[in-house]
Amino acid sequence: MKVTVGTHETGYIVVTDDAILSILSKSQLEAAGPVVGVIGAAVGRAQEKRKAEGVRPIALPPGLRDLQRVESCKFSDLPRTLLSANGFPRVEGFRAVTIYPKRLVQAVKASVWRGVVITIAGQAHPLSVQMWQIGKLKRHLTEAGYRLT
């Protein structure tokens, strides 16, 4: 399975042929570690773990193309076929993931100024990404047949 990964200060954007995933690897508080210090970052991590304990595991189909709606889950709930893909990011199992299935995506805009903006049912879902990674994400989006605007 081909995956293309873009990064930002709190996680990853992963483009696959079946879906676009937003994976958080840090909370905003953890990302602000240099500002809030080691204690603040540790508190942010503990808060994220506590939030994740309340999230029930969901059974995702092996191919994300079968999803009927935007799903949120824990990283550990992702299908093994996806987790074992070459280049797929590795984060703690409790981290939050949002999955935007290709069948629901009406359009995608990728720019160095706004990052990746996914339009689903007329609603914009902006995802930040480092600007020098936009080109590789655009290439995969085009190859996978997403409608770029």
Side-chain angles (χ1 to χ4, degrees), residues 14-93:
V14 179
V15 176
T16 72
D17 292 346
D18 300 331
I20 300 171
L21 291 82
S22 173
I23 303 171
L24 294 180
S25 63
K26 304 179 200 181
S27 67
Q28 291 289 345
L29 191 56
E30 288 174 285
V35 176
V36 297
V38 174
I39 302 294
V43 167
R45 183 177 170 88
Q47 286 175 336
E48 290 299 308
K49 277 187 175 179
R50 218 171 307 116
K51 272 198 296 191
E53 288 171 2
V55 177
R56 291 191 340 206
I58 63 172
L60 293 172
L64 300 178
R65 72 173 56 125
D66 299 329
L67 290 176
Q68 301 297 317
R69 60 191 167 103
V70 174
E71 290 282 355
S72 293
C73 65
K74 293 191 292 188
F75 186 81
S76 60
D77 294 336
L78 292 174
R80 294 287 159 228
T81 55
L82 187 60
L83 294 174
S84 63
N86 188 25
F88 199 79
R90 305 284 180 243
V91 299
E92 295 100 344

Side-chain angles (χ1 to χ4, degrees), residues 12-16 19-23 70 98-111 114-128 137 141 146-149:
Y12 304 93
I13 302 302
V14 179
V15 176
T16 72
I20 300 171
L21 291 82
S22 173
I23 303 171
V70 174
T98 304
I99 305 167
Y100 302 93
K102 180 181 177 181
R103 67 176 6 174
L104 300 179
V105 175
Q106 295 169 326
V108 180
K109 184 174 195 165
S111 76
R114 297 208 49 216
V116 175
V117 180
I118 302 169
T119 303
I120 296 177
Q123 275 191 308
H125 301 269
L127 308 172
S128 64
L137 294 173
L141 290 164
Y146 288 92
R147 184 174 160 257
L148 287 170
T149 58

Side-chain angles (χ1 to χ4, degrees), residues 132-145:
W132 54 86
Q133 297 176 347
I134 290 293
K136 69 179 181 178
L137 294 173
K138 268 185 169 177
R139 277 190 298 281
H140 190 162
L141 290 164
T142 302
E143 290 169 7

